[in-house]
Amino acid sequence: MNHSTSAKDWSASLYLKFEKERSRPSRDLLAQVPLDNPHRVVDLGCGPGNSTAILRDRYPAATLSGIDSSPDMLNKARATLPSIPFHQADLTTYHPTDAVDLFFSNAVFQWLPESDRIPTIKRLLQSQAPGAVFALQVPDNFHEPSHAAMRETAETGPWAATLRPLQPARGLMPSPQVLYDALKPLCAHVDLWHSHYYHVLQDHGAVVEWVKGTGLRPFIDPLSEGQRREFLEVYLGKLRQLYPRSVDGRVILRYPRLFVVATRA
């Protein structure tokens, strides 16, 4: 994770409540990486190491490392994968010390300020040799009901004045067209696609637990304990109106993601 605007650290345990679902996009992204034997692989925003483990399994002979801005995430990654070096770093200022054959990024770039996203990708791509790959995946759910309800709850509750000046300016991810036009001058090939995941969760409370580990954090971290509890109650009520229960009582959370695999020219 890379979220320098948050004063609080990430929670690896909360993030890993849905480890299987959160790891699946990493596998789907890696399946499209056209490299058989990369020498050096860096997991950008490695989180608790779940994506790093997938990279290790695919490329056991590679020199593999991970970077993240969260101490808690890094502690979990180091405990899980003690043989792999993990370093604390901010993506906007990170510079590799050696040539990297594969930069791999799972659900990180959405946390960077919008003005830093494409410049950071291009800067890292420019450090790579011809044939090297930059692969990334990001949630693309700004307009999903779950995320629209976060913003609506923040704007209409008694905490609105507290949250308004603190909310980071995170809007939509760049469109596939914008990404392609920005990256293609540096690349021999740019592959882009969307996938819509449908996560079958236990109930509406499980939807709250899912987003508490990621997208909901900027809204609840600045609040007092009492306000946080009230915010979550209001938000849960909105989710109950927006998401129907399935025949078995479960709730389906649609989760769009954008994928990019860029091969350096």
Side-chain angles (χ1 to χ4, degrees):
M1 297 298 148
N2 194 90
H3 186 200
S4 58
T5 58
S6 175
K8 297 185 179 181
D9 192 11
W10 290 86
S11 168
S13 60
L14 184 59
Y15 182 84
L16 289 172
K17 277 188 176 182
F18 302 95
E19 180 176 4
K20 179 180 178 182
E21 293 89 347
R22 294 195 192 280
S23 295
R24 182 176 171 183
S26 291
R27 300 182 191 281
D28 293 347
L29 176 62
L30 187 56
Q32 302 304 320
V33 171
L35 295 175
D36 293 326
N37 297 294
H39 173 65
R40 182 169 171 77
V41 178
V42 177
D43 190 358
L44 301 172
C46 59
N50 54 314
S51 53
T52 319
I54 293 167
L55 289 165
R56 176 203 57 189
D57 293 345
R58 168 80 181 270
Y59 301 122
T63 299
L64 174 61
S65 61
I67 70 166
D68 203 282
S69 63
S70 163
D72 189 62
M73 290 288 192
L74 289 169
N75 287 339
K76 177 64 175 177
R78 290 169 182 142
T80 304
L81 301 166
S83 64
I84 296 174
F86 292 96
H87 310 284
Q88 188 170 357
D90 187 314
L91 272 184
T92 59
T93 56
Y94 163 72
H95 291 273
T97 55
D98 299 297
V100 176
D101 300 299
L102 172 60
F103 281 121
F104 189 87
S105 175
N106 180 61
V108 175
F109 275 86
Q110 75 277 11
W111 291 113
L112 269 60
E114 288 183 65
S115 60
D116 288 335
R117 293 171 186 167
I118 288 178
T120 300
I121 296 169
K122 291 175 66 175
R123 176 174 56 80
L124 292 174
L125 260 171
Q126 287 169 331
S127 74
Q128 294 182 277
V133 171
F134 194 112
L136 71 94
Q137 173 276 127
V138 287
D140 199 11
N141 49 15
F142 185 81
H143 291 306
E144 289 300 299
S146 57
H147 287 60
M150 293 180 198
R151 299 190 295 274
E152 182 181 337
T153 303
E155 292 164 2
T156 57
W159 38 74
T162 299
L163 292 179
R164 193 172 298 117
L166 297 176
Q167 291 308 309
R170 280 200 316 275
L172 291 165
M173 288 299 300
S175 70
Q177 185 70 63
V178 170
L179 281 165
Y180 185 89
D181 288 344
L183 304 184
K184 185 60 179 71
L186 298 171
C187 296
H189 182 70
V190 179
D191 187 16
L192 309 100
W193 72 97
H194 271 100
S195 290
H196 286 74
Y197 295 83
Y198 290 85
H199 300 301
V200 180
L201 304 180
Q202 184 67 33
D203 51 26
H204 294 94
V207 178
V208 176
E209 288 300 300
W210 176 287
V211 295
K212 272 170 65 178
T214 52
L216 195 57
R217 293 210 41 207
F219 297 96
I220 61 175
D221 280 357
L223 302 180
S224 65
E225 184 176 346
Q227 279 195 327
R228 187 180 304 121
R229 188 163 50 246
E230 186 180 354
F231 184 104
L232 292 174
E233 288 174 359
V234 173
Y235 177 61
L236 176 60
K238 292 183 183 298
L239 293 180
R240 286 174 173 150
Q241 295 175 348
L242 292 166
Y243 291 90
R245 282 190 177 271
S246 303
V247 64
D248 58 357
R250 296 176 184 267
V251 174
I252 297 177
L253 176 66
R254 188 175 79 158
Y255 211 92
R257 294 180 183 270
L258 171 64
F259 296 76
V260 181
V261 176
T263 303
R264 186 75 163 98

